[in-house]
């Protein structure tokens, strides 16, 4: 339960804070688009980029402990494993 809660906090933090930081940096350097036709795609791309980074990050912070029996996978893959 603790790992799930931690990963959701990290996902939320990265998804909310990183776009705000990116917007602040662009605005500070005067590169933030003023035209609404450019502003909306810019904001959408920043949010998509934030989710693209934050989702794998929130999953990757924990060790991968899953395992799978060879018998439970497809026959083609079993043959390749045994070769």
């Amino acid at each position: 339960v603790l790992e799930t809660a931690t990963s959701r906090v990290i996902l939320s933090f990265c998804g909310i804070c990183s776009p705000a930081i990116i917007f602040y940096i662009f605005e500070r350097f005067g590169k933030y688009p003023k035209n609404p036709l450019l502003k909306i795609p810019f904001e959408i791309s920043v949010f998509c980029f934030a989710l693209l980074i934050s989702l794998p990050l929130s999953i990757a912070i924990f060790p991968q402990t899953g395992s799978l029996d060879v018998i439970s996978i497809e026959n083609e893959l079993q043959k390749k494993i045994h070769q």
Side-chain angles (χ1 to χ4, degrees), residues 23 31-46:
F23 292 150
K31 301 295 182 187
Y32 196 81
K34 293 175 178 46
N35 184 351
L37 294 175
L38 296 175
K39 185 178 179 182
I40 293 171
F42 174 73
E43 290 177 354
I44 291 172
S45 62
V46 168

Side-chain angles (χ1 to χ4, degrees), residues 2-80:
L2 180 63
E3 288 181 356
T4 302
T6 305
S7 68
R8 291 192 179 170
V9 166
I10 291 172
L11 178 62
S12 298
F13 180 78
C14 292
I16 294 171
C17 292
S18 60
I21 293 168
I22 293 170
F23 292 150
Y24 174 76
I25 291 170
F26 272 84
E27 190 174 316
R28 182 91 172 172
F29 288 111
K31 301 295 182 187
Y32 196 81
K34 293 175 178 46
N35 184 351
L37 294 175
L38 296 175
K39 185 178 179 182
I40 293 171
F42 174 73
E43 290 177 354
I44 291 172
S45 62
V46 168
F47 280 111
C48 289
F49 176 75
L51 289 176
L52 183 71
I53 298 300
S54 64
L55 183 60
L57 177 67
S58 67
I59 294 170
I61 60 173
F62 300 108
Q64 303 300 316
T65 58
S67 62
L68 190 64
D69 291 331
V70 176
I71 298 170
S72 65
I73 61 175
E74 299 164 353
N75 290 334
E76 293 177 16
L77 294 175
Q78 287 179 14
K79 291 175 185 176
K80 288 183 181 182

